[in-house]
Amino acid sequence: MDVFQLAALAIIQGLTEFLPISSSAHLILPSQLFGWSDQGLAFDVAVHIGSLGAVLFAFRHEVWRILHAWFTQFGERGPTPESRLGWAIIIATIPAVIVGLLIEGWVESAGRSVLVIATTTILFGVLLGVADKRGSRVKPLETLSLKSALLIGLAQAIALIPGTSRSGITMTAALMLGFSRQASARFSFLLSIPLILAAGSLKGFELVQSGTAAQWHEILLGVALSFVAAWICIKLFLAALDKIGMMPFVIYRLLLGVALFVWAT
């Protein structure tokens, strides 16, 4: 990749990873629309590291409290709201891992077509709008049960289909269950940590196994740009969410989906 292509894709990854508009769709589309070559394993590893670093930095205090509570719950301290949240993240992660192993081959072939992306972009955009309008939006994150976590996790597994948006579908599920916008977004972001870590580790292992010489300047640039873009995105999204709601993202998805249908046909 040239520097412009690398920078553009890294920023796109960082900006779209945590917004409810599908990062996978936005990374696939440039190659479909502009004929850009596949970004390669090294780039995938770099942007995963950058995105993971951004969400860990943004939620560093929450992550520390959850980890500390989860490991100390087995002692005299016992369960706490933070340790239960840790269990909720674990439970919600399992469905995506299982489904990912089952349909990985399909996603790499038929799942990356423009028509699939256009369809899921519109369909799950509409569902996000319905959930934001119909949901009671009153439950705080502290009331999240393991049953609700599992339901959100089952929804997250659908996001393996490009165009769905992992953050979008998890926020949709949480809103439908009555959680507030802030609670829905925060759980979605926390839930991204184990999946990004797993995906990045898998890509890193594939990179080592392939024996491809690492282009360290490309990797470092990809990490830095995706980190900055993702961190800014998380902060601005959480700050503006209660004011703007989900409708701007719903409208964007509908316009993008229609444009893709027109382009593909």
Side-chain angles (χ1 to χ4, degrees), residues 209-254:
Q209 290 292 100
S210 70
T212 304
Q215 301 293 323
W216 289 107
H217 65 286
E218 292 186 0
I219 292 176
L220 292 175
L221 180 60
V223 170
L225 289 176
S226 62
F227 174 90
V228 172
W231 182 76
I232 292 174
C233 176
I234 291 170
K235 301 298 286 187
L236 292 179
F237 180 76
L238 289 175
L241 182 57
D242 286 332
K243 297 178 182 178
I244 66 174
M246 296 295 182
M247 196 51 61
F249 306 103
V250 174
I251 294 171
Y252 173 79
R253 292 182 67 127
L254 295 178

Side-chain angles (χ1 to χ4, degrees), residues 122-232:
I122 292 174
L123 174 61
F124 292 105
V126 171
L127 284 178
L128 175 63
V130 171
D132 193 46
K133 290 297 183 181
R134 294 287 185 88
S136 59
R137 304 201 308 266
V138 295
K139 294 182 182 178
L141 189 55
E142 292 74 21
T143 64
L144 180 68
S145 66
L146 294 185
K147 178 182 177 181
S148 294
L150 179 59
L151 291 174
I152 295 171
L154 291 171
Q156 179 175 242
I158 303 172
L160 293 164
I161 304 172
T164 302
S165 172
R166 189 211 60 82
S167 59
I169 195 67
T170 51
M171 291 181 203
T172 297
L175 287 167
M176 285 182 171
L177 291 169
F179 288 91
S180 69
R181 288 171 177 157
Q182 287 290 327
S184 300
R186 297 184 83 83
F187 186 65
S188 175
F189 293 157
L190 290 170
L191 194 53
S192 73
I193 294 173
L195 281 184
I196 296 176
L197 179 61
S201 299
L202 180 60
K203 295 289 185 182
F205 179 75
E206 291 177 4
L207 181 63
V208 172
Q209 290 292 100
S210 70
T212 304
Q215 301 293 323
W216 289 107
H217 65 286
E218 292 186 0
I219 292 176
L220 292 175
L221 180 60
V223 170
L225 289 176
S226 62
F227 174 90
V228 172
W231 182 76
I232 292 174

Side-chain angles (χ1 to χ4, degrees), residues 22-36:
S22 178
S23 63
S24 60
H26 285 78
L27 288 176
I28 291 170
L29 288 175
S31 64
Q32 296 279 350
L33 298 175
F34 306 121
W36 287 359

Side-chain angles (χ1 to χ4, degrees), residues 88-110:
I89 292 171
I90 293 172
I91 294 298
T93 300
I94 294 173
V97 174
I98 295 174
V99 174
L101 293 174
L102 293 175
I103 69 169
E104 180 182 7
W106 180 86
V107 170
E108 292 299 321
S109 54

